[in-house]
Amino acid sequence: MDAKKLHREPHKRWGTPSPWAAEWFANTVSFCKTQEEKTRFEEWLRVTHGPGIFDEKLWEVYGPPQKKYGSYTGNAKMWNSAAFTLYLGQNKVELGVSDEFLKQAHTFVAEQRLVEPERTLPAPVRRRYESSSDWLLRRADALLMGAKAPSVQWDELRRIAFSEFDQMEAWRTQPSFFFEGLRERARSTICTPGDAAPGEEWSQACMDAMRSRLHLAQTQYAAWSQAARLFEDFDRMGATAAPAVLKLIKQDSYMLGRLVAVLCAVIELERCQNGKLPNVLTSSEYLRPFFHRTRDRKGISKIYTNDAYARRANMKTNSIELLLTNWRAVGGQNLAAGALLAALRKLMLDPDEAAKVTSEALETIGDLAPASEFEDAFRNCTFASELAKLIEEANRTGVSKSWESLCLAIPPRKFNRQVDSIKIRHASFAEYERLYRQQSLTWLGVIWQLDCGDGFKLFLETDQWGVQHYDWMWFTLDKILWEEATRLERTSGSVARLYGLIAPDEKNRPLATKSFLDDVLRYVDEVTARERRRQQDEELRASFVRNIPTATPQESVAKGPERAVDQPKVKVRKRRKGKRDLAQPEATSGETEPSEPRAGSSTVTKVAEKTMPDVLPIEWKLGHKTVDILHRLLNPKEKSGQMRWADFENAMQQIGFDVIQTEGSSVRFDPPAKQARPITFHRPNPDSTMIPDIIRLVGARLKRCYGWTHDSFTSDSGDESKAVETGT
């Protein structure tokens, strides 16, 4: 009997996405119940959940199957129906397992790409300007229906790597911006009970928030800086598409090892952002009562639904609170990132729903989406299967042993936890992920020991700080981190390069003092230039008064320039269909000219696409409104007022950038040049207004990324003064 028809009945009974998925469930249980694979499965459980939770998880996995009744949330009904009555073959041999067994076993085989049924449907193709969440959700749905894996979109991955790099916030030079963001993060922070003395809970939350933000920022730098450098080297070696890259890494094991290191770093970044997401999503004043938010003594956050409050709230069908309560009711980890982000994106099209979450939650969603898309592209595509074969071959020949220095800046012997030697036979990233995860936890332990003392508390409570004291705080933190990095490093400077640390003796270190003095000097220069322009305008007006020609009785205008005689206008009537307009003069053969295409026509668009330059021009001539916006960004005053985000987007579009609404508050700008890097910013929320601190941050990143200055943009509106012809 056809396998598709064989599993059609279980598919309907269990509620799986397709008969293909039902067959995969059946294959999973039979595979993990064999003695040899059962051992591998249990090893995977211990590595994934850690020694502390392994015993508890093992008890849940091998517990007896239980038929559940009543209302279900999420995919709970599907897991229970499939696990309790799992039939295989025509004889319908019942292999009842627990819900947790099926969930964990399915995750295990999915990561290893094991026992998948044959895929026969065509692969999905990403649509132009499709958001990350919509694409991830549509691709996941297609794969669960039995579609073939799509091809990796190398250009899109390159854009992600370059646009996400250099997003380190200007914390060191803008104290007010730093502390405002810190307070917002502290509102979503769940403190470990007993860490703070009575009355010190807020200060402790702010200190924990600073550690968390610092660790996440350095994890982002580690992932995207490595990815950007790798893509630059691929471009330099002529590997600009997936087939060329595959050919290169087959011949060069060093480049293959670097690609593995980048994937480990991005997977760790996605894991950190996924861990942060529940905290920030449930932290708003509106959504907080729907959940119980606690943290155990081991530092693990526990967020679960407040069922009593949820029942009283009478939640609407299409509401964020209903989505999140269902999500947390099933553990929060069984819903793929793409599915959750896509569901949130649809709901937040309603302004009332979007107002229920904080701006920090939107930023987290915007940062998580590209990391999820980047990681998922290497797991569920044709490129991934070829990559897995190359890694397996490298493991077999022993070449992969040389990758440890590429993946790890800290040697395993210096990790905080003892790493067990667990070998995974099938080709996967699991071994390298595990080691990189332990390295990240070791560095997190260093950051979590940071303490800024009473000065930090004073800054938070009173806003009474001086730029010198603020610089000294960062100098102290940099010194501690540099010393710890030196103690842990594999080779000289390996940890500092990985996390983007700044040496205490760095002469060009970013300083709030220097930024403050630059603003003062810039203000003085602008006042001086404004006074000089005023004097020049007065002199110019005076010269106009002295030299304007006057009329005499003998002539209409004395010494004035001769005017050209205007040609009489021909009245043209509209031509009616099928009739010739006799009033329209016919052009002679010598006057006929080819018509030019309109600016918005498809012909112009095609030509522009073919003639896209390799690099951006040095100078631009734009409309005066666009130039004013860019000048404000690149040369902001100390008190420059606010700017509408829509004006900034419009200015970038006038230059030629494509504005891509990626996810959450994240917006990517793709430049009109082949070799120029894309750049990503977070749209302010909720009113989309850029305050002076954000204006300075955006301008600073544009300067670093593209080398733009105030003089890069001039107006083409004809505002320049024109020569005046005078009489004698």
Side-chain angles (χ1 to χ4, degrees), residues 17-313:
S18 65
W20 185 93
E23 183 179 358
W24 195 12
F25 279 7
N27 294 347
T28 297
V29 173
S30 59
F31 178 79
C32 292
K33 276 185 170 289
T34 61
Q35 186 59 41
E36 182 180 1
E37 304 305 333
K38 178 181 178 182
T39 303
R40 287 182 53 211
F41 173 52
E42 292 177 357
E43 288 178 351
W44 176 85
L45 283 173
R46 184 165 73 247
V47 171
T48 303
H49 299 284
I53 310 177
F54 172 67
D55 293 335
E56 178 183 350
K57 186 60 64 176
L58 202 63
W59 183 87
E60 294 179 5
V61 165
Y62 290 118
Q66 296 180 353
K67 180 63 178 176
K68 298 178 181 178
Y69 300 92
S71 59
Y72 293 91
T73 56
N75 293 326
K77 182 177 182 180
M78 181 191 70
W79 292 114
N80 183 250
S81 299
F84 185 72
T85 56
L86 188 59
Y87 295 96
L88 298 179
Q90 292 180 333
N91 296 327
K92 296 186 177 180
V93 180
E94 187 176 79
L95 294 175
V97 294
S98 67
D99 297 12
E100 194 63 27
F101 179 95
L102 186 56
K103 293 177 186 178
Q104 297 295 330
H106 177 67
T107 305
F108 166 66
V109 299
E111 287 187 2
Q112 313 288 326
R113 299 184 67 86
L114 303 172
V115 296
E116 284 189 356
E118 181 183 2
R119 297 183 178 274
T120 56
L121 299 180
V125 179
R126 184 171 188 173
R127 303 176 184 127
R128 190 178 184 186
Y129 300 134
E130 188 174 20
S131 68
S132 296
S133 62
D134 289 344
W135 164 239
L136 289 175
L137 179 61
R138 194 165 59 83
R139 180 170 63 176
D141 290 343
L143 292 175
L144 288 176
M145 295 298 292
K148 297 178 181 178
S151 301
V152 63
Q153 296 178 307
W154 198 256
D155 288 342
E156 184 66 19
L157 297 181
R158 183 182 181 276
R159 293 189 194 101
I160 291 174
F162 286 135
S163 65
E164 295 298 318
F165 179 52
D166 190 31
Q167 279 211 79
M168 297 288 287
E169 296 185 47
W171 295 341
R172 299 167 182 270
T173 59
Q174 301 178 31
S176 59
F177 183 74
F178 168 75
F179 284 116
E180 182 59 33
L182 195 64
R183 292 188 186 97
E184 185 174 6
R185 178 70 180 95
R187 296 185 188 101
S188 65
T189 299
I190 305 173
C191 295
T192 303
D195 282 1
E200 301 292 331
E201 291 82 2
W202 174 245
S203 298
Q204 183 64 41
C206 290
M207 192 66 237
D208 288 352
M210 179 177 181
R211 295 164 179 155
S212 175
R213 294 186 80 196
L214 186 61
H215 177 254
L216 188 57
Q218 292 179 350
T219 305
Q220 284 179 310
Y221 181 89
W224 299 126
S225 62
Q226 290 186 86
R229 288 194 294 267
L230 179 64
F231 277 91
E232 284 180 340
D233 290 343
F234 278 142
D235 292 346
R236 196 176 299 113
M237 301 170 78
T240 57
V245 172
L246 194 59
K247 181 179 179 181
L248 176 62
I249 61 179
K250 284 180 179 179
Q251 302 171 354
D252 193 337
S253 61
Y254 172 76
M255 297 300 291
L256 175 59
R258 287 184 60 186
L259 180 56
V260 170
V262 167
L263 292 177
C264 290
V266 175
I267 290 169
E268 177 60 23
L269 172 61
E270 185 191 19
R271 183 185 289 112
C272 293
Q273 290 171 335
N274 261 322
K276 176 186 175 183
L277 187 62
N279 292 352
V280 297
L281 279 177
T282 61
S283 65
S284 67
E285 293 184 6
Y286 179 83
L287 294 173
R288 190 183 289 259
F290 288 91
F291 303 93
H292 295 293
R293 296 158 39 92
T294 61
R295 190 180 296 274
D296 60 20
R297 293 300 305 171
K298 295 180 181 179
I300 301 175
S301 62
K302 305 286 186 180
I303 301 176
Y304 52 94
T305 305
N306 183 352
D307 294 326
Y309 185 89
R311 284 193 296 269
R312 295 195 305 268

Side-chain angles (χ1 to χ4, degrees), residues 4 28 102 183 191 241 258 310 337 422 451 478 498 500-501 575 708 718-719:
K4 186 175 181 180
T28 297
L102 186 56
R183 292 188 186 97
C191 295
R258 287 184 60 186
I422 301 175
D451 191 351
D478 289 338
L498 178 64
L501 304 185
R575 295 181 61 181
W708 290 343
D719 293 338

Side-chain angles (χ1 to χ4, degrees), residues 373-394:
E373 181 177 352
F374 193 97
E375 184 267 342
D376 195 66
F378 286 97
R379 287 195 185 275
N380 299 306
C381 66
T382 54
F383 187 91
S385 57
E386 296 296 329
L387 182 62
K389 293 177 183 178
L390 292 177
I391 295 176
E392 184 178 15
E393 178 65 18

Side-chain angles (χ1 to χ4, degrees), residues 587-608:
T588 63
S589 59
E591 296 173 344
T592 303
E593 295 181 359
S595 61
E596 297 184 0
R598 292 175 296 173
S601 67
S602 59
T603 306
V604 174
T605 303
K606 292 179 181 178
V607 172

